[in-house]
Amino acid sequence: MKRILVTGANGQIGSELVTYLRLLYGDQEVIASDITLENCSSPMEVLDVLDHEKFRNICESYQVDTLIHLAAILSVNAEKNPQLAWDVNMQGLLNGLEIAKEFNLQFFSPSSIGVFSHESPKDKTPQLTTMRPTTMYGISKLSGELLCDYYYQVFGVDTRSVRFPGLISSVTPPGGGTTDYAVEIYYAAIKDGHYTCPIKEDTYLDMMYMGDALKLIVDLMESDSSLLSDRNAYNVSAMSVCPKMIAESIQKYIPDFTISYEIDPLKQSIAESWPNSIDVSIAQKDWHFNCQYDLDNLTKHMLASLQK
Ligand code: NAD
Ligand code: AKB
């Protein structure tokens, strides 16, 4: 990667990834773009990824060699507006892939544990298994994986991807997903000492700290292409946790912290359709994927940075 365009750069991942990439590759080499530019710093461009011509012109004028495509609608918002989710998650991705094909760009667009469903094995879910997602988000993410694979197989585009679990971070709040509770709980712990959780206390989902997610994106993108056995998306995760475990971890640092539960039926049903835990062994084998943060480490860092 030498000159990189990031779409969806204002979001939970993009806001931290742009800073991280600029430290590694230089400020002028990482161009941030989003549909609005509230918090982006220069170089930056306003870009709706559905505007193919502008998308293409930005890639051409900056002579980028890498496209990190983060613009998307997340799971809960996608259920509330399925048509918008299909348009952004599919047409936006297709526009990015077409441009990557035209300019021979390296291409990264994250998939999600949302590609799995009730019909997938619940524990240690393999990378390749039954996948029949029942949400618009999952359907668009799984279709997106297949599209990336197609562009690699048919057109030779260097597509790379992972299935991110819920990401926990302290810079930009998440944008309408099922795993948002795992971020909100830390903000509430600092602010109110109490959190009302929309997900049942014993619902397990995979999670990862943002620091590990940023590092793995660069590790995967810088890996030797010949090592990669999968161009759809690698399973990656740092931990499988439930709300009760996160609350207990917070109580180690804030003993008076309390949690109660008011279940949100939409979020709960999506969470229950996703795995308890996924198998990450193929990513470990192919490109030495690993994570530094376990739950207590993550809690310590989240609380410290939110307290600041
Ligand atoms: P986010 O919702 O925080 O950010 C997405 C960004 O895309 C927003 O800034 C939004 O303004 C922008 N956007 C929406 N429509 C757009 C359009 N038409 N044109 C340009 N920009 C547009 O999401 P995120 O958490 O940063 O997720 C980034 C990617 O990672 C997505 O593909 C998501 O599916 C994937 N992912 C995220 C997580 C997670 O926990 N954060 C987990 C799994 C996968
Ligand atoms: C969501 O909950 O929608 C995302 C994801 C796991 O894809 N955080």
Side-chain angles (χ1 to χ4, degrees):
M1 295 194 285
K2 290 196 174 66
R3 186 163 300 153
I4 306 160
L5 175 69
V6 180
T7 69
N10 274 351
Q12 189 192 5
I13 301 178
S15 57
E16 294 197 51
L17 184 64
V18 166
T19 310
Y20 185 77
L21 292 174
R22 284 181 178 164
L23 283 172
L24 293 175
Y25 298 95
D27 286 350
Q28 294 309 308
E29 309 307 325
V30 182
I31 299 98
S33 72
D34 204 298
I35 200 160
T36 62
L37 283 180
E38 292 138 31
N39 304 312
C40 288
S41 57
S42 205
M44 61 191 180
E45 293 286 342
V46 175
L47 173 63
D48 179 342
V49 293
L50 297 178
D51 183 344
H52 185 277
E53 197 183 337
K54 186 165 185 191
F55 200 168
R56 183 195 173 281
N57 291 345
I58 290 172
C59 288
E60 187 175 42
S61 64
Y62 282 94
Q63 296 190 304
V64 299
D65 65 5
T66 304
L67 181 51
I68 299 202
H69 181 63
L70 302 177
I73 307 297
L74 273 75
S75 57
V76 172
N77 283 349
E79 282 318 286
K80 292 179 181 162
N81 195 342
Q83 178 72 58
L84 175 71
W86 179 260
D87 290 346
V88 175
N89 296 2
M90 295 311 302
Q91 190 59 50
L93 176 70
L94 191 59
N95 288 347
L97 284 166
E98 271 298 306
I99 293 161
K101 179 178 97 174
E102 182 179 352
F103 296 119
N104 194 24
L105 310 181
Q106 209 185 352
F107 187 87
F108 177 81
S109 179
S111 185
S112 161
I113 52 171
V115 294
F116 296 113
S117 70
H118 290 290
E119 293 179 59
S120 315
K122 232 10 202 165
D123 297 297
K124 290 216 176 279
T125 312
Q127 191 159 295
L128 272 180
T129 187
T130 305
M131 281 177 271
R132 293 179 59 81
T134 49
T135 61
M136 180 52 89
Y137 181 64
I139 292 166
S140 66
K141 285 286 155 187
L142 184 55
S143 309
E145 287 188 8
L146 296 172
L147 210 49
C148 288
D149 206 21
Y150 180 82
Y151 270 71
Y152 171 71
Q153 301 287 350
V154 177
F155 303 120
V157 178
D158 187 358
T159 55
R160 303 176 184 209
S161 183
V162 295
R163 290 181 187 132
F164 273 133
L167 298 180
I168 301 180
S169 66
S170 57
V171 174
T172 302
T178 306
T179 58
D180 292 11
Y181 81 86
V183 178
E184 291 162 359
I185 191 171
Y186 289 100
Y187 280 83
I190 297 289
K191 199 164 156 275
D192 307 320
H194 177 80
Y195 181 58
T196 307
C197 184
I199 302 282
K200 288 182 189 166
E201 64 172 11
D202 56 355
T203 303
Y204 280 79
L205 287 171
D206 282 288
M207 300 284 168
M208 183 186 291
Y209 194 46
M210 185 63 81
D212 282 325
L214 301 179
K215 180 178 177 300
L216 82 77
I217 292 173
V218 171
D219 286 350
L220 175 62
M221 293 302 274
E222 295 289 4
S223 293
D224 185 339
S225 175
S226 65
L227 299 176
L228 305 179
S229 62
D230 198 298
R231 296 299 181 139
N232 267 333
Y234 284 94
N235 279 6
V236 292
S237 171
M239 64 196 84
S240 160
V241 292
C242 61
K244 187 163 182 271
M245 286 169 69
I246 302 180
E248 284 167 358
S249 179
I250 292 173
Q251 281 158 351
K252 290 181 187 164
Y253 302 92
I254 306 177
D256 293 339
F257 173 71
T258 54
I259 185 165
S260 59
Y261 296 88
E262 266 175 35
I263 305 311
D264 177 316
L266 173 60
K267 291 181 180 174
Q268 183 64 34
S269 74
I270 299 176
E272 282 177 12
S273 75
W274 293 355
N276 294 334
S277 68
I278 58 174
D279 171 42
V280 301
S281 57
I282 302 182
Q284 287 170 330
K285 178 173 151 290
D286 281 9
W287 46 280
H288 310 296
F289 158 72
N290 65 27
C291 285
Q292 277 189 322
Y293 290 89
D294 62 14
L295 180 57
D296 285 342
N297 250 327
L298 177 160
T299 298
K300 191 173 157 194
H301 277 80
M302 278 297 285
L303 294 177
S305 76
L306 289 176
Q307 248 147 3
K308 266 193 224 158

